[in-house]
Amino acid sequence: MATSKPHLAINAEWGTRRLGQITTKIGSGSTPRGGAAAYLPQREHWVLVRSQNVFDRYFDRTGLAAISNDQASRMRSVALQPGDLLLNITGDGVTFARACEVPSDVIPAVVNQHVCIVRVDPEVACPGFVLGYLTSPSAKSYIESFNAGGSRRAITKGHIESFVIPMPPLDVQRAIAHILGTLDDKIELNRRMTETLEAMARALFKSWFVDFDPVRAKMEGRWRRGQSLPGLPAEMWDLFPERLVESELGEIPEGWEIRPLPAFVDVNPKRQLSKRSLAPYLDMASMPTRGHVPAATPILRAFGSGTKFQNGDTLLARITPCLENGKTAFVDFLEADQVGWGSTEYIVLRSRAPVPPEFSYCLARSEAFRDFAIQSMTGSSGRQRVATDSLDHFRMPLPTRETLMTFGSIVNPMFTACSKRADESRTLAGIRDVLLPKLISGAIRVQDVELATGQQE
């Protein structure tokens, strides 16, 4: 059992309490009867929160499992309430001990056995302050110390109840939570704006190159020369043919040529990186399942064996379940001409001129390409992967050079804006991560931070 002494130096004027003394509930859930087979195809009312949804100070809605009212009724004891904190109590070195607050719009929801509810008594402590503690570096090391060893970590309810929490006055707790929450809100706003811009780019890709909307508008008489329709200025309509024609892939725009992937995308292009040289490393855990921005800034690591990439490349996870989960990234975080590297389980896609780099990313996120890649997987159960040369057989109709370049001129500013917001968020996260342990321990005063950041009223 954990020591009763705090595991970090704290302000001498503050006391400490065990987490079990300042909470009204600590407990995890279970898997609904029938397991994944019982999940509903879409949400009707209840959802099941799993460890994949819980990140440090961020809740990811991707992969939320919908369950029936009947299933949820059997799990009423682990139904979430506004303000509840979520803590991953099992997992590997990446997912274990991540913690966040449940967003109110996720409720009604229950948790499975890998996620623990930490319900703070608001009369005694501030949930945002406790979350700051759970996500501080010292707490992470402390929680990790309970692991008995091995790649699969686990902690018990008793362990969690024994955590020793610094207890500044409640008004100080709330002020600390406000500072951290304000930084979180700015990061979340950037994330939402980035998702919106990328969704616009992907919607344009689908409209032009998958659904052929401009061509259909011409065929159906919804457009006349010199006229604009939503999403396309009048001067761009001449980029598209007047009709669709039959092909081996079904109807395609007249004059567009069906080409195999290697004709317009280089797969795993050669890059130069010397053995043991330091270069930015992106691990699989940081690959995003939605959006193109990695979850963490690549770190410098001596190159050993891995996939090499440069700015403008698209990275696609080729192994199960990462491919099915949508792990895909657009590389725009390196210096000019810098080479980064990562897992051998990445496939690198590099657009060939005049195809813009963003085209390959939008293609990698498209339903048709992902379905093709998933169906091309081979290997034993649980370790299936896409062979690089299998992608050579993917084919699609390509438009004219002018159409491709116009697409690039529209979406490139969107990706540039996304990159700038991602850089800002990384800076904000760095500031937050520096402030967090100092605020939680009382090493710096709330008033000093408020004056420096202009948050003081």
Side-chain angles (χ1 to χ4, degrees):
M1 187 62 65
T3 174
S4 60
K5 296 180 180 179
H7 53 279
L8 72 166
I10 63 169
N11 188 312
E13 298 178 2
W14 296 355
T16 62
R17 300 283 293 275
R18 288 181 180 271
L19 188 56
Q21 295 175 314
I22 62 172
T23 53
T24 59
K25 181 178 182 61
I26 294 178
S28 59
S30 61
T31 298
R33 184 179 300 175
Y39 298 162
L40 302 178
Q42 60 185 14
R43 181 172 188 170
E44 294 180 354
H45 194 56
W46 289 86
V47 292
L48 177 70
V49 173
R50 297 173 288 175
S51 58
Q52 69 191 66
N53 304 119
V54 179
F55 287 74
D56 276 332
R57 309 191 66 82
Y58 167 64
F59 186 92
D60 189 348
R61 292 166 174 78
T62 306
L64 269 176
I67 60 174
S68 68
N69 291 342
D70 183 56
Q71 292 276 16
S73 67
R74 300 189 182 100
M75 303 173 67
R76 290 284 184 180
S77 63
V78 288
L80 290 168
Q81 297 179 9
D84 280 352
L85 306 181
L86 306 174
L87 175 67
N88 285 349
I89 57 175
T90 68
D92 55 21
V94 176
T95 60
F96 178 66
R98 295 193 304 212
C100 69
E101 182 175 342
V102 62
S104 58
D105 63 348
V106 171
I107 298 171
V110 293
V111 300
N112 74 357
Q113 70 271 28
H114 303 296
V115 180
C116 182
I117 299 171
V118 178
R119 185 169 296 152
V120 177
D121 183 349
E123 298 297 323
V124 179
C126 173
F129 176 81
V130 176
L131 177 62
Y133 164 82
L134 292 174
T135 54
S136 65
S138 57
K140 291 295 184 187
S141 299
Y142 180 59
I143 296 171
E144 183 71 31
S145 71
F146 288 103
N147 178 47
S151 60
R152 191 71 179 172
R153 276 80 161 171
I155 51 175
T156 66
K157 177 181 178 181
H159 292 151
I160 300 169
E161 290 174 336
S162 72
F163 293 171
V164 179
I165 309 290
M167 289 298 291
L170 194 53
D171 61 334
V172 175
Q173 292 184 43
R174 290 170 178 154
I176 291 172
H178 175 70
I179 292 171
L180 298 175
T182 299
L183 292 169
D184 287 340
D185 290 344
K186 291 180 179 179
I187 293 170
E188 174 65 9
L189 177 61
N190 280 342
R191 185 189 66 78
R192 291 183 180 180
M193 288 298 297
T194 296
E195 283 192 358
T196 298
L197 288 169
E198 183 178 311
M200 291 168 60
R202 290 172 59 190
L204 186 65
F205 176 90
K206 185 174 185 294
S207 175
W208 285 18
F209 307 122
V210 178
D211 297 334
F212 315 128
D213 287 336
V215 182
R216 295 186 188 280
K218 288 186 173 185
M219 292 175 63
E220 295 167 6
R222 291 184 282 117
W223 172 85
R224 293 187 302 274
R225 189 170 300 281
Q227 178 186 28
S228 293
L229 284 178
L232 194 64
E235 63 271 16
M236 292 185 183
W237 283 90
D238 286 337
L239 295 171
F240 297 91
E242 301 284 340
R243 65 193 186 100
L244 299 173
V245 296
E246 287 295 334
S247 77
E248 60 192 278
L249 298 180
E251 289 188 329
I252 65 171
E254 185 178 31
W256 289 20
E257 185 179 356
I258 295 176
R259 304 297 301 275
L261 185 71
F264 57 96
V265 172
D266 284 327
V267 180
N268 286 348
K270 293 188 180 300
R271 306 278 190 242
Q272 295 299 319
L273 198 59
S274 302
K275 285 285 188 181
R276 293 181 293 280
S277 62
L278 288 177
Y281 175 82
L282 179 66
D283 61 15
M284 185 67 80
S286 297
M287 283 278 280
T289 55
R290 63 180 184 181
H292 75 268
V293 180
T297 304
I299 60 172
L300 287 178
R301 179 178 293 184
F303 175 65
S305 175
T307 304
K308 300 180 284 291
F309 49 80
Q310 289 182 295
N311 279 345
D313 289 344
T314 291
L315 303 181
L316 176 72
R318 69 186 185 113
I319 192 169
T320 190
C322 299
L323 173 60
E324 295 93 329
N325 291 341
K327 283 185 173 286
T328 309
F330 183 74
V331 182
D332 58 3
F333 45 79
L334 301 176
E335 300 296 331
D337 299 323
Q338 188 178 35
V339 178
W341 67 290
S343 170
T344 56
E345 301 296 356
Y346 294 158
I347 289 177
V348 179
L349 305 178
R350 179 79 176 187
S351 295
R352 290 186 173 186
V355 178
E358 298 84 3
F359 183 97
S360 289
Y361 174 78
C362 292
L363 174 64
R365 284 284 187 199
S366 69
E367 183 177 351
F369 185 85
R370 302 197 71 81
D371 287 347
F372 182 90
I374 291 170
Q375 291 169 13
S376 300
M377 299 179 84
T378 59
S380 59
S381 177
R383 298 300 295 176
Q384 292 187 317
R385 56 176 52 81
V386 179
T388 304
D389 56 6
S390 68
L391 296 181
D392 293 350
H393 302 290
F394 179 82
R395 292 151 62 84
M396 71 174 291
L398 277 190
T400 63
R401 177 188 183 92
E402 291 75 15
T403 306
L404 287 167
M405 294 179 67
T406 300
F407 174 78
S409 70
I410 296 173
V411 301
N412 177 264
M414 297 178 184
F415 276 70
T416 299
C418 289
S419 180
K420 289 180 179 178
R421 287 186 176 274
D423 287 343
E424 181 184 41
S425 290
R426 281 189 281 266
T427 299
L428 291 170
I431 293 171
R432 180 195 63 198
D433 294 345
V434 169
L435 288 176
L436 194 155
K438 296 181 182 297
L439 287 168
I440 294 298
S441 65
I444 58 175
R445 299 186 312 161
V446 171
Q447 295 90 334
D448 294 335
V449 177
E450 289 177 333
L451 286 172
T453 60
Q455 292 190 37
Q456 194 173 55
E457 295 181 0

